[in-house]
Amino acid sequence: MTTATPARTAPEDTLSAAMKKGSAIEHEQAEGSAFMSALLDGRMDADGYIAYLQRLRLVYEALESVATTLVDDPIASPIIDPALDRLATIDADLAHWAPGGAPAFSSPVATAYAERITESTWSGAFVAHHYTRYLGDLSGGQAIGRILDRSFHLDGAGISFYAFDEVGKVKPYKDRYRDRLDAIGATLSAADRDRLVDEVRLAFGFNQSLFAELSELHPGR
Ligand code: HEM
């Protein structure tokens, strides 16, 4: 994982802008990772995609179980929305890709990532993890879903992870989500905003490490 230097958010930045700006380099690295490139160029095989889904399952299980404990939390509750939940879609997709059952696996990175989510005692950290995955899924994730559909000739099958049927139109939803982040940010001290942006970069680091682990096991064609 890359080690991040601490964020220093500009005082004039809204929280959503600080999160985006503070993780721009990490985002570029994630886009350029070997695993993502292989996936998007149609060079990844089904086993590699199953391994990816299995790791995502651990991460979303953590996110979605912690979310249920934070529904009344003043910092995290504004962004918590069951319409975003991905666990059921991951299970449906795993059933498609591995109808006989997915193979046993162990992922030190996904385990550490999930533990970071479940063991964080500050709900601001949860906001950072929530943003990194769900806003990513609603952004580049939408394009990734379409590319997978084309390259694996799926005709919509096995990619329900990318379909957010219950959120309505994605663009206005993302705008509302950023407004909620900004409202959360307005209640935080500058130090806590920095801390939250640091956690976003850490979350990106976990995703990078996941891609590295996957590339090692499934280099693709
Ligand atoms: C090849 C892989 C990827 C591509 C092509 C991609 C592409 C994009 C694009 C085009 C946007 C901007 C969308 C918009 O402004 O509406 C975006 C936003 C975002 N992506 Fe990615 N992305 C990739 C991987 C990732 C990964 C691995 C993560 C983290 C797990 C991630 C997290 C995010 C987040 C959090 C945003 C929202 C930024 C913001 O507006 O604050 N992306 N992505």
Side-chain angles (χ1 to χ4, degrees):
M1 193 193 311
T2 49
T3 44
T5 46
R8 285 288 168 271
T9 60
E12 70 277 12
D13 273 352
T14 57
L15 181 62
S16 65
M19 291 166 91
K20 184 170 187 162
K21 222 197 256 181
S23 58
I25 293 172
E26 287 76 6
H27 186 267
E28 242 173 70
Q29 289 167 346
E31 282 186 77
S33 69
F35 182 78
M36 269 293 143
S37 304
L39 196 61
L40 299 181
D41 295 347
R43 287 182 288 106
M44 186 45 57
D45 51 24
D47 288 347
Y49 194 64
I50 292 167
Y52 180 46
L53 285 174
Q54 287 180 301
R55 283 156 180 78
L56 288 182
R57 194 185 190 289
L58 292 179
V59 175
Y60 285 88
E61 193 175 39
L63 282 169
E64 289 163 21
S65 72
V66 173
T68 63
T69 70
L70 293 176
V71 284
D72 295 321
D73 181 85
I75 299 179
S77 60
I79 52 159
I80 292 175
D81 181 357
L84 293 172
D85 285 355
R86 295 294 88 195
L87 205 49
T89 66
I90 292 173
D91 283 340
D93 289 351
L94 275 169
H96 169 88
W97 289 90
F105 78 108
S106 84
S107 166
V109 177
T111 303
Y113 188 177
E115 279 173 6
R116 178 77 188 181
I117 295 165
T118 52
E119 287 169 12
S120 294
T121 51
W122 180 51
S123 47
F126 177 79
V127 171
H129 288 287
H130 193 275
Y131 160 84
T132 306
R133 282 300 337 174
Y134 295 109
L135 209 61
D137 298 333
L138 289 169
S139 303
Q142 298 300 292
I144 294 170
R146 284 192 295 272
I147 293 169
L148 285 176
D149 198 9
R150 273 203 305 273
S151 61
F152 283 98
H153 310 290
L154 296 170
D155 211 10
I159 47 168
S160 56
F161 176 71
Y162 306 95
F164 285 86
D165 297 338
E166 288 169 40
V167 311
K169 279 198 182 309
V170 166
K171 164 82 171 73
Y173 186 92
K174 288 197 316 186
D175 291 342
R176 287 197 302 277
Y177 186 97
R178 290 192 188 95
D179 289 345
R180 290 180 189 142
L181 288 177
D182 295 342
I184 294 167
T187 70
L188 299 178
S189 66
D192 276 351
R193 283 207 306 274
D194 284 351
R195 189 176 165 202
L196 200 153
V197 174
D198 283 342
E199 192 73 20
V200 171
R201 301 199 296 167
L202 191 94
F204 268 95
F206 274 120
N207 283 280
Q208 269 292 72
S209 302
L210 264 188
F211 294 148
E213 183 185 87
L214 284 162
S215 278
E216 185 99 344
L217 294 167
H218 300 277
R221 292 186 280 267

